[in-house]
């Protein structure tokens, strides 16, 4: 089982409250039979005009390529409960999301993929967003064991995550399919 205790990496921001799953992955891309290409479609309606021409967006900005931590505002992932939204973010390269709050089903879908969705106070999220937008090379550390996010300056911010989710990630029990395969004999 893969335990997830610490995610360290560069971050990317997506500003705005009430960002719904259709904004994260528009419904027209949900016709594919695998999740393999979903990362290409993250925020497609915001990133491209009707003719397919690129518009300015952090998820298209080369400065944020390779970022693994997403910083968001309030109620991120609201709307329909499509699992394609966290799948698309994962395939783009996101390994953790820190924000002010999340839709409950979205956060659960993230946990099922091994993506911690942690909350921080609005002022902290705002400060971290400003830092990352000013310096896209800034590295953040999200530590689930210490329940903290550490900025490049060394400043530590306490994070919140439901204990059942944190425990499942830290112990490697977040992957229910992996647990079934690992216990095939017991299941039989």
């Amino acid at each position: 089982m893969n335990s997830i205790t610490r995610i360290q990496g560069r971050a990317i921001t997506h500003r705005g409250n009430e960002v719904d799953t259709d904004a994260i992955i528009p419904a027209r891309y949900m016709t594919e039979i695998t999740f393999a290409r979903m990362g290409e479609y993250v925020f497609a309606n915001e990133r491209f005009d009707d003719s397919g021409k690129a518009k300015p967006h952090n998820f298209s900005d080369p400065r944020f390529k390779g970022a693994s931590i997403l910083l968001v505002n309030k109620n991120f992932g609201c709307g329909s409960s499509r699992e394609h939204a966290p799948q698309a973010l994962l395939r783009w390269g996101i390994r953790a999301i820190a924000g002010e709050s999340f839709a409950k089903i979205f956060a659960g879908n993230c946990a099922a993929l091994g993506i911690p969705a942690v909350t921080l106070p609005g002022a902290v999220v705002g400060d971290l967003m400003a830092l990352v937008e000013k310096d896209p090379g800034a590295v953040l550390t999200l530590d689930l064991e210490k329940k903290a996010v550490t900025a490049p300056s060394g400043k530590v911010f306490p994070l919140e995550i439901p204990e059942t989710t944190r425990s499942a990630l830290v112990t490697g029990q977040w992957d229910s399919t992996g647990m079934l395969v690992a216990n095939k004999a017991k299941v039989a």
Side-chain angles (χ1 to χ4, degrees), residues 152-175:
S153 66
K155 188 165 184 179
V156 177
F157 304 98
L159 63 81
E160 293 292 327
I161 184 171
E163 182 54 31
T164 53
T165 303
R166 189 193 74 79
S167 177
L169 292 165
V170 169
T171 62
Q173 296 178 359
W174 59 269
D175 182 359

Side-chain angles (χ1 to χ4, degrees), residues 65-147:
K65 186 178 172 101
S68 58
I69 300 171
L70 175 59
L71 299 172
V72 299
N73 296 113
K74 294 179 186 172
N75 202 23
F76 189 80
C78 60
S80 63
S81 61
R82 63 181 67 153
E83 66 180 313
H84 294 70
Q87 286 279 1
L89 292 168
L90 177 70
R91 280 162 180 68
W92 190 87
I94 299 302
R95 298 295 177 259
I97 309 173
E100 294 177 65
S101 63
F102 299 94
K104 189 173 183 175
I105 293 173
F106 175 82
N109 285 338
C110 285
L113 294 173
I115 303 171
V118 304
T119 57
L120 297 163
V124 171
V125 171
D127 289 348
L128 291 174
M129 285 180 156
L131 167 76
V132 166
E133 290 166 350
K134 182 178 179 183
D135 179 11
V139 174
L140 302 179
T141 302
L142 190 151
D143 191 315
L144 293 177
E145 290 180 313
K146 295 178 181 176
K147 292 177 62 174

Side-chain angles (χ1 to χ4, degrees), residues 33-70:
I33 52 176
T34 72
F35 294 118
R37 294 184 52 203
M38 289 290 143
E40 299 172 33
Y41 313 132
V42 171
F43 298 110
N45 290 346
E46 296 175 17
R47 293 172 54 207
F48 305 99
D49 65 19
D50 291 339
S51 68
K53 184 178 175 188
K55 299 190 295 188
H57 195 279
N58 285 354
F59 275 79
S60 298
D61 188 329
R63 297 175 307 144
F64 294 105
K65 186 178 172 101
S68 58
I69 300 171
L70 175 59

